[in-house]
Amino acid sequence: MAEEVFVGSIDQGTTSTRFIIYDRSAKAIGSHQVEFTQFYPQAGWVEHDPMEILESVRVCITKAVDKATADGHNIDGGLKAIGLTNQRETTVIWSKSTGKPLHNAIVWMDVRTSSICRKLEKELSGGRTHFVEACGLPISTYFSATKLLWLMANVDSVKDAVKKGDALFGTIDTWLIWNMTGGVEGGLHVTDVSNAARTMLMNLKTLDWDKTTLETLGVPVSILPKIVSNSEKIGNITKGWPITGIPISGCLGDQHAAMVGQACRKGEAKSTYGTGAFILLNTGEEPIKSNHGLLSTVAYKLGPNAPTNYALEGSIAIAGAAVQWLRDSLGIISSASEIEELASKVDSTGGVYFVPAFNGLFAPWWRDDARGVCIGITRFTNKSHIARAVLESMCFQVKDVLDSMQKDAGENREDRNEKGEFLLRVDGGATVNNLLMQIQADLLGNPVVRPADIETTALGAAYAAGLAVGVWSEDEIFASGEKMKKDTTFRPILDEELRKKKADSWCKAVSRTFDLADLSL
């Protein structure tokens, strides 16, 4: 009997952590998930406790290994590598000497830094786009750099630690790797190119911290981690963890991991539907500058000497979170899965349009003064219409981003099938909703392809880790033709004229969200 070979994947998301163990055929043979707390200290502020996240990883690894072992798998003898994928931009500063966080982690969707952003836009010669040439990103509350500036300006313990040389900065990947490779006893302070690309501090071409940007913002390079590729042996897991001595050899931000899990080569795009929605188009080995509200970023770099693939990205702040809002804040549904049945009770929204600009709008609008609206309500409107409008809002936002991608990269950016169709690959928890996927195909006018395994983020991190230690080859990872035989394709059935009318109405609804941030309480 052949020796069993396994690769583990830590998938650290915005609301939960998972650990999944894959076998050599990329089949999940053990997993565990833990939800953790989101804190909302003020309107627009979102935080996590880094220690709670760390503990969630420990619990998930323990339980997943126990489950797989109970099913007869020799995990201790067969586990070859660990991959890590994480929520991006979420920012942590901790003490090098104590290992304790100096403040809660500031989450990617937090907007407390809007005044810092306005100040920078006024002071810097390039305004909002001052750093785009170097890092591909506009000045925004979204990225880690502005969160770091807020912490250095407003938290005394952070100021003191930076002054004494005791502060370490990182995104969640950095925090986890530092702790898992030794912490205060020699933990490795590293990040990968995909997470570093989201800080607003990394030069997209050199893949190193941009000195001019650091000087302009007053960020000391001493607090920043070393940048590595997405697939290489970073360091071994230290004693005190449920598994020890195993190399962490894959690390990617969640959206980049999904690109690898979906096997997206040049010209191929994927959309991940989670708390937010994130659409990335692989543009090949040259970054493309966006003139239509998108971000230029790294797609992946699968090895220290491997070529860098770049991407255009459109980030949508609120997708699945709008469904959670219907459940938790309005009580219209009691579980997220109920929305499909409720929305299916009507065949249209009855003219209702919902724009979930709860904390402003990301791509392609970039309006932090926007706030959510629900318009077109009549006496005829019921909760099914609102539920359907929430689903449509997710799909319209994805369409806005894909339309912008087409303008930026041109028709030749799209890899089309033999029928001349552009296929949007989709993944993430919300894609189990068949109605959502059909609406997406209808509003795009293009087929939507859902893989048999919708958890491609965790799979991508496993692939990157396994690639570094020889479990898989790059050809095996990107053999997408074989994988797509098991996929489900949703084809558009909506009339073209109605599609255009609905898109015009959506744009009208979006315009109504602007300049609402200062409405009186």
Side-chain angles (χ1 to χ4, degrees):
M1 184 176 166
E3 180 197 0
E4 287 190 295
V5 173
F6 306 108
V7 177
S9 179
I10 299 165
D11 182 0
Q12 196 290 305
T14 307
T15 58
S16 65
T17 300
R18 290 181 309 162
F19 184 69
I20 302 178
I21 303 167
Y22 293 93
D23 66 12
R24 175 72 180 73
S25 69
K27 177 188 170 190
I29 54 98
S31 70
H32 191 75
Q33 180 167 329
V34 171
E35 292 199 356
F36 50 82
T37 315
Q38 293 217 82
F39 301 97
Y40 305 95
Q42 295 184 31
W45 292 29
V46 191
E47 295 179 358
H48 291 151
D49 176 356
M51 298 303 289
E52 186 184 2
I53 288 176
L54 197 59
E55 183 58 23
S56 74
V57 172
R58 191 184 298 276
V59 169
C60 285
I61 292 174
T62 302
K63 301 276 191 186
V65 169
D66 286 350
K67 286 177 188 174
T69 303
D71 286 340
H73 299 289
N74 179 16
I75 303 303
D76 286 343
L79 190 60
K80 301 301 181 190
I82 296 292
L84 168 62
T85 180
N86 59 288
Q87 53 169 317
R88 303 172 304 168
E89 297 96 15
T90 297
T91 301
V92 193
I93 294 193
W94 67 96
S95 161
K96 194 190 304 183
S97 57
T98 70
K100 295 288 188 284
L102 299 169
H103 191 272
N104 268 350
I106 301 181
V107 179
W108 57 271
M109 67 180 82
D110 185 289
V111 293
R112 75 184 67 186
T113 62
S114 55
S115 59
I116 291 175
C117 294
R118 296 296 82 76
K119 184 169 179 283
L120 289 171
E121 285 171 19
K122 282 180 189 158
E123 290 175 355
L124 298 174
S125 58
R128 193 170 151 270
T129 60
H130 186 83
F131 300 110
V132 164
E133 199 59 46
C135 69
L137 309 176
I139 294 169
S140 167
T141 59
Y142 185 17
F143 307 115
S144 311
T146 57
K147 304 179 199 305
L148 173 57
L149 294 181
W150 186 91
L151 286 163
M152 291 197 299
N154 293 281
V155 180
D156 289 340
S157 58
V158 171
K159 287 182 207 171
D160 293 345
V162 170
K163 202 178 290 180
K164 291 174 186 166
D166 188 43
L168 294 176
F169 156 85
T171 40
I172 296 292
D173 58 307
T174 307
W175 165 247
L176 293 179
I177 290 170
W178 187 81
N179 278 284
M180 294 179 77
T181 58
V184 293
E185 296 176 10
L188 297 168
H189 190 215
V190 300
T191 189
D192 74 274
V193 288
S194 63
N195 276 297
R198 315 297 299 183
T199 59
M200 214 171 78
L201 300 173
M202 187 190 85
N203 186 295
L204 266 190
K205 296 202 171 102
T206 66
L207 306 183
D208 205 350
W209 303 117
D210 189 75
K211 287 178 183 168
T212 306
T213 302
L214 298 183
E215 286 166 11
T216 302
L217 295 176
V219 174
V221 72
S222 58
I223 70 172
L224 302 179
K226 177 188 172 188
I227 301 172
V228 299
S229 78
N230 299 121
S231 179
E232 62 181 90
K233 288 187 183 179
I234 296 168
N236 292 343
I237 297 177
T238 190
K239 61 182 186 300
W241 282 83
I243 45 179
T244 59
I246 308 296
I248 299 172
S249 57
C251 183
L252 309 94
D254 50 12
Q255 304 315 317
H256 314 266
M259 288 281 275
V260 176
Q262 288 271 37
C264 285
R265 295 185 187 271
K266 182 180 179 181
E268 295 176 336
K270 69 90 203 170
S271 179
T272 298
Y273 301 76
T275 304
F278 303 87
I279 305 92
L280 277 81
L281 169 76
N282 186 330
T283 59
E285 294 178 29
E286 283 296 318
I288 290 180
K289 187 176 175 183
S290 175
N291 296 309
H292 297 91
L294 303 178
L295 312 175
S296 301
T297 194
V298 170
Y300 48 75
K301 180 180 174 67
L302 296 176
N305 301 314
T308 306
N309 272 237
Y310 291 92
L312 283 171
E313 175 173 344
S315 307
I316 294 162
I318 303 294
V323 179
Q324 293 166 350
W325 175 74
L326 283 186
R327 180 193 67 195
D328 301 337
S329 298
L330 298 191
I332 286 178
I333 51 177
S334 56
S335 70
S337 58
E338 285 176 25
I339 192 169
E340 182 173 8
E341 184 185 351
L342 182 60
S344 296
K345 289 180 179 175
V346 291
D347 58 9
S348 77
T349 65
V352 173
Y353 287 80
F354 174 73
V355 187
F358 296 159
N359 282 19
L361 289 171
F362 285 1
W365 311 98
W366 296 106
R367 296 287 298 244
D368 58 17
D369 63 339
R371 290 297 178 267
V373 301
C374 189
I375 63 172
I377 298 169
T378 65
R379 186 64 185 82
F380 171 70
T381 303
N382 64 37
K383 61 185 180 181
S384 290
H385 295 115
I386 291 171
R388 195 173 183 108
V390 166
L391 294 183
E392 283 197 356
S393 76
M394 295 162 70
C395 301
F396 274 122
Q397 290 181 98
V398 171
K399 174 180 162 50
D400 288 343
V401 168
L402 284 166
D403 287 348
S404 293
M405 283 180 175
Q406 192 163 15
K407 290 171 189 166
D408 276 330
E411 286 287 347
N412 62 356
R413 58 93 177 173
E414 296 178 341
D415 184 71
R416 294 175 179 268
N417 66 8
E418 62 282 355
K419 295 180 184 173
E421 299 169 317
F422 173 70
L423 305 177
L424 177 66
R425 300 165 184 231
V426 298
D427 57 75
T431 61
V432 298
N433 185 324
N434 290 326
L435 177 60
L436 176 70
M437 295 295 94
Q438 187 59 52
I439 291 171
Q440 186 67 83
D442 284 340
L443 295 182
L444 284 179
N446 285 314
V448 166
V449 181
R450 180 178 66 197
D453 178 2
I454 61 169
E455 302 299 352
T456 57
T457 303
L459 180 60
Y463 276 153
L467 179 65
V469 300
V471 172
W472 293 293
S473 69
E474 205 165 320
D475 285 345
E476 287 176 297
I477 291 169
F478 285 94
S480 53
E482 197 57 37
K483 290 178 196 160
M484 287 181 80
K485 289 178 186 173
K486 300 174 187 168
D487 297 343
T488 306
T489 300
F490 297 83
R491 296 192 172 277
I493 52 177
L494 189 67
D495 174 73
E496 180 65 30
E497 189 179 345
L498 181 54
R499 181 183 300 123
K500 285 178 180 167
K501 282 182 179 172
K502 285 177 73 70
D504 289 343
S505 297
W506 164 256
C507 289
K508 191 181 286 186
V510 169
S511 70
R512 301 295 195 270
T513 70
F514 300 158
D515 198 26
L516 296 181
D518 58 355
L519 289 176
S520 296
L521 297 174

